Amino acid sequence: MVVMRAIALLWVASSLVVTAIALLDACPKPCACFSKDGTKYVNCSRADLTSVPAGIPADVQQLLLSGNGIANLSKMDFAGLKSVVSIDLSSNQLTNDAILPGTFDDLPFLGVLNLAANENFTDFPKNLPTRLYTLYFGYNRVTRVTEDSFRNLPQLVYVDFENNQVESIAPGSFENQHHLTGLSIGFNQITELPDGVFKTTKLQYLGLRFNQLARVPADLPATLTDLDLVGNKIKEIPSRIFSNLTELQTLQVWQEKTLTTIGDNAFEGLGKLQILDADFCSIDRMTNATLSGLSGMWELYMGSSQIPYIPPGAFHDIKNITTLWLDGNQLTTLDPTLLDTKALPRLSEVFIWDNPWTCDCHLRWLKEHIDNNNTSPTIDSPHIMVCNAPPKLKGRAFDTLSPKDFVCGNQDSEPSTKSSALGPGIVEVVRDERMRMPFTGAGKSLRVARVWRDENTSICTPAVIDDYSILCMTGVVLLFLWVGFSMGRAMDKRQRAFAEAPGKMCF
Ligand SMILES: *[C@@H]1O[C@H](CO)[C@@H](O)[C@H](O)[C@H]1NC(C)=O
Ligand SMILES: *[C@@H]1O[C@H](CO)[C@@H](O)[C@H](O)[C@H]1NC(C)=O
Ligand SMILES: *[C@@H]1O[C@H](CO)[C@@H](O)[C@H](O)[C@H]1NC(C)=O
Ligand SMILES: *[C@@H]1O[C@H](CO)[C@@H](O)[C@H](O)[C@H]1NC(C)=O
Ligand SMILES: *[C@@H]1O[C@H](CO)[C@@H](O)[C@H](O)[C@H]1NC(C)=O
Ligand SMILES: *[C@@H]1O[C@H](CO)[C@@H](O)[C@H](O)[C@H]1NC(C)=O
Ligand SMILES: *[C@@H]1O[C@H](CO)[C@@H](O)[C@H](O)[C@H]1NC(C)=O
Ligand SMILES: *[C@@H]1O[C@H](CO)[C@@H](O)[C@H](O)[C@H]1NC(C)=O
């Protein structure tokens, strides 16, 4: 009898174990359960779920629930998922009060939560796990950040609330954030940051792209390595505004059409800056002190602005420069000492097309440099350098002239009559990209004479091919193809700039 009972008990116990193992191994119906790189995933994305399915394996580490119709969450939903590190709940139907108290209490290791694109969040939810270190909250509808927004989340390292409608950030909002390292808050409506709002953080990356900032935020933490102020409404970069940011490596202020003024010594202190990207601005002055302090800079982007003149001492400090983008400005001349590789030994490439050059004796050196193998540094796309003056040479491409045509005063002689590589009728080349396409064969290249210049300029009229003629539309198609597979962050950036701008194409 005792034996029988023992056997029965054993049988019950073992069947329980078997059931438990089966449950452990089971994967709930619409989900996929798998291991990848030693991490256990349960993927229940895009499965028309309205709640978290029961029976999720207890050892799950990455739980993917994106793209469902989940509208509320409680402790029951995640009961027993002790190993979970990351939950993706993006693109669901969660709202401000939809996350009940205790929902994440059972999850000791939960550090990453994705709540992006739950369109009806108008506030940061309460009841998030206090150990959270990464919060994705983009594409929601939050309008302000207050002292309470992150008060209960003191372990945050990275927060993203891009593409919300945040207009204001209260001064103490990040006071208890001593670990915060990255903050992506672009594409909001932020008009101003309180001075020192990130002072207590360890912020290295601050992304403020496409907000409504009218001035450069002051008193940013000295730990910053990357600052993105692209597409705001900043008018001026004041003197020494970044003087505390001695660790900064990249500074992006492009697509800042309101930006006219860079104060003398504005970048003082940025000795570790490698890339300064200020393309597509309206900078109208450069002095000997505009770039001072940028002794470590490799790449300078100041194309598509309004710079009328670069004084001979302007590049004095930027001894490590390799690439200079100054295309699309109002430059009429350039002093040869500026590009002297004795002073700038690493300078290898210079972009200065699309400037209204005065082709006189002062610029003859440049024509000679281009003709003389064009190295150290290389002037990019010399075939689209066009003269704007003197009147006799207006509209003439450098290609069609010889150095002796670059004369001053009454030395005037008849310009060379070398036939124009651009062909008759094209007097203005706004911007040209030479595209070496695999299928055009060696030496053949496509010219698109007008490429985007700002948000309002059409993309291509006309297009010319060296050895063929081709329709403008083909030019556009090829251009995008080319942009697609050409390397170069610069072109990638221009493409983005174009994509983000309310652009219009030709026709
Ligand atoms: C999860 O499932 C969705 C929908 O089937 C799929 O698109 C996605 O690639 C999957 N994700 C992973 C990490 O397997
Ligand atoms: C949670 O969502 C489910 C399914 O949409 C709904 O039936 C239930 O009433 C909701 N519960 C709460 C507390 O809102
Ligand atoms: C979200 O808001 C929209 C419009 O305000 C409303 O139609 C929709 O029902 C809301 N969804 C939820 C899940 O509350
Ligand atoms: C630099 O840091 C000092 C000390 O914290 C502060 O007083 C000053 O305002 C900061 N300067 C800028 C431009 O933020
Ligand atoms: C210039 O670049 C070299 C090579 O990358 C680097 O070792 C050096 O520290 C840089 N100089 C400055 C002043 O940053
Ligand atoms: C700028 O620097 C150049 C070369 O060092 C010098 O000749 C010129 O006088 C300077 N200009 C001003 C305004 O200091
Ligand atoms: C220009 O380059 C070619 C081939 O690279 C070389 O043969 C020629 O000597 C160079 N000319 C000058 C003036 O450096
Ligand atoms: C582009 O066009 C719009 C509308 O015509 C105008 O408001 C804006 O100032 C233009 N932008 C530039 C850079 O010309």
Side-chain angles (χ1 to χ4, degrees):
M1 199 57 184
V2 173
V3 172
M4 288 291 279
R5 201 169 278 177
I7 288 172
L9 265 176
L10 212 63
W11 182 82
V12 169
S14 65
S15 69
L16 272 177
V17 168
V18 167
T19 315
I21 287 172
L23 272 178
L24 272 180
D25 278 351
C27 193
K29 193 66 208 294
C31 309
C33 304
F34 58 96
S35 277
K36 201 166 109 188
D37 303 329
T39 299
K40 298 214 157 73
Y41 287 79
V42 173
N43 184 0
C44 315
S45 299
R46 280 178 262 158
D48 290 326
L49 298 171
T50 53
S51 61
V52 180
I56 292 172
D59 60 350
V60 59
Q61 292 167 303
Q62 301 262 353
L63 179 53
L64 311 178
L65 290 159
S66 173
N68 286 296
I70 298 170
N72 54 46
L73 292 171
S74 69
K75 194 168 179 176
M76 300 258 294
D77 290 313
F78 303 116
L81 306 185
K82 298 263 184 244
S83 305
V84 81
V85 171
S86 164
I87 302 180
D88 183 351
L89 282 157
S90 58
S91 300
N92 276 285
Q93 303 286 321
L94 296 169
T95 58
N96 292 356
D97 301 315
I99 300 176
L100 298 182
T103 296
F104 302 108
D105 279 5
D106 262 2
L107 315 177
F109 298 112
L110 181 61
V112 182
L113 197 53
N114 189 341
L115 295 172
N118 282 264
E119 282 172 30
N120 290 8
F121 271 130
T122 56
D123 221 333
F124 292 97
K126 301 176 210 70
N127 308 323
L128 296 183
T130 56
R131 287 190 197 82
L132 207 63
Y133 50 82
T134 298
L135 174 62
Y136 295 100
F137 209 73
Y139 295 93
N140 286 314
R141 279 202 242 153
V142 174
T143 56
R144 65 206 177 106
V145 175
T146 69
E147 274 100 347
D148 287 336
S149 297
F150 306 115
R151 189 193 290 285
N152 298 323
L153 304 173
Q155 306 293 327
L156 286 172
V157 172
Y158 178 74
V159 178
D160 170 348
F161 57 88
E162 288 198 335
N163 287 288
N164 276 264
Q165 294 157 19
V166 174
E167 286 168 15
S168 65
I169 295 186
S173 303
F174 293 88
E175 219 156 48
N176 63 337
Q177 298 302 327
H178 303 297
H179 305 280
L180 193 66
T181 306
L183 190 57
S184 294
I185 56 179
F187 304 96
N188 278 287
Q189 304 293 325
I190 302 167
T191 52
E192 191 155 29
L193 286 181
D195 283 359
V197 66
F198 304 122
K199 221 37 202 302
T200 56
T201 70
K202 282 199 226 149
L203 218 51
Q204 291 180 16
Y205 170 73
L206 177 57
L208 281 160
R209 172 174 295 210
F210 293 100
N211 274 285
Q212 303 289 327
L213 294 172
R215 63 182 187 105
V216 177
D219 215 1
L220 293 170
T223 44
L224 270 190
T225 57
D226 300 278
L227 177 59
D228 182 345
L229 295 168
V230 169
N232 278 278
K233 301 246 159 22
I234 293 164
K235 296 187 181 70
E236 181 190 3
I237 299 184
S239 293
R240 299 192 163 79
I241 184 76
F242 301 117
S243 57
N244 291 343
L245 305 187
T246 53
E247 298 300 316
L248 203 66
Q249 292 173 16
T250 66
L251 174 59
Q252 299 190 66
V253 291
W254 51 273
Q255 195 92 353
E256 201 91 49
K257 281 291 177 193
T258 48
L259 178 57
T260 55
T261 309
I262 296 183
D264 280 354
N265 306 299
F267 304 114
E268 199 64 58
L270 302 185
K272 289 195 185 161
L273 197 78
Q274 295 170 355
I275 296 172
L276 171 58
D277 192 337
D279 270 347
F280 302 102
C281 293
S282 302
I283 300 161
D284 60 12
R285 185 158 171 266
M286 187 180 283
T287 73
N288 280 356
T290 301
L291 301 173
S292 56
L294 296 171
S295 53
M297 186 166 60
W298 305 344
E299 292 172 15
L300 172 66
Y301 296 82
M302 276 194 187
S304 299
S305 232
Q306 299 293 327
I307 302 167
Y309 176 66
I310 302 178
F315 299 155
H316 176 264
D317 263 14
I318 57 171
K319 295 210 161 49
N320 246 10
I321 198 78
T322 62
T323 316
L324 278 169
W325 294 72
L326 293 160
D327 53 286
N329 276 287
Q330 295 299 322
L331 300 174
T332 56
T333 195
L334 200 64
D335 191 278
T337 59
L338 280 164
L339 306 187
D340 188 348
T341 47
K342 284 202 249 347
L344 307 175
R346 295 155 62 90
L347 184 62
S348 69
E349 208 168 8
V350 179
F351 296 75
I352 47 175
W353 29 259
D354 191 15
N355 276 289
W357 297 114
T358 296
C359 296
D360 64 10
C361 60
H362 304 293
L363 212 55
R364 183 172 185 157
W365 72 272
L366 183 59
K367 173 62 179 162
E368 284 169 346
H369 177 89
I370 290 167
D371 285 0
N372 188 23
N373 268 11
N374 193 17
T375 52
S376 313
T378 298
I379 308 297
D380 180 80
S381 301
H383 60 286
I384 53 158
M385 302 272 292
V386 177
C387 308
N388 187 54
K392 189 174 275 178
L393 298 184
K394 189 175 167 68
R396 291 291 297 270
F398 276 37
D399 268 5
T400 69
L401 299 170
S402 92
K404 67 176 174 11
D405 297 323
F406 288 65
V407 294
C408 287
N410 50 19
Q411 285 175 272
D412 244 12
S413 62
E414 276 308 302
S416 126
T417 52
K418 212 164 114 185
S419 76
S420 169
L422 290 174
I426 298 173
V427 292
E428 189 203 13
V429 178
V430 172
R431 177 160 307 171
D432 170 295
E433 302 298 342
R434 174 165 286 223
M435 287 167 280
R436 295 191 192 289
M437 308 297 297
F439 48 87
T440 56
K444 305 284 201 299
S445 61
L446 169 69
R447 279 176 187 179
V448 175
R450 189 186 283 267
V451 181
W452 60 83
R453 181 191 162 86
D454 63 33
E455 68 261 41
N456 290 341
T457 310
S458 54
I459 196 167
C460 64
T461 32
V464 178
I465 272 195
D466 282 348
D467 305 289
Y468 317 93
S469 66
I470 192 163
L471 288 174
C472 178
M473 203 55 219
T474 316
V476 174
V477 170
L478 292 179
L479 180 68
F480 280 108
L481 273 176
W482 173 69
V483 165
F485 63 69
S486 82
M487 61 296 112
R489 57 180 286 289
M491 288 319 299
D492 167 54
K493 180 187 61 193
R494 281 178 167 68
Q495 185 189 22
R496 275 186 284 127
F498 181 68
E500 283 156 2
K504 62 180 186 212
M505 306 224 304
C506 48
F507 313 118

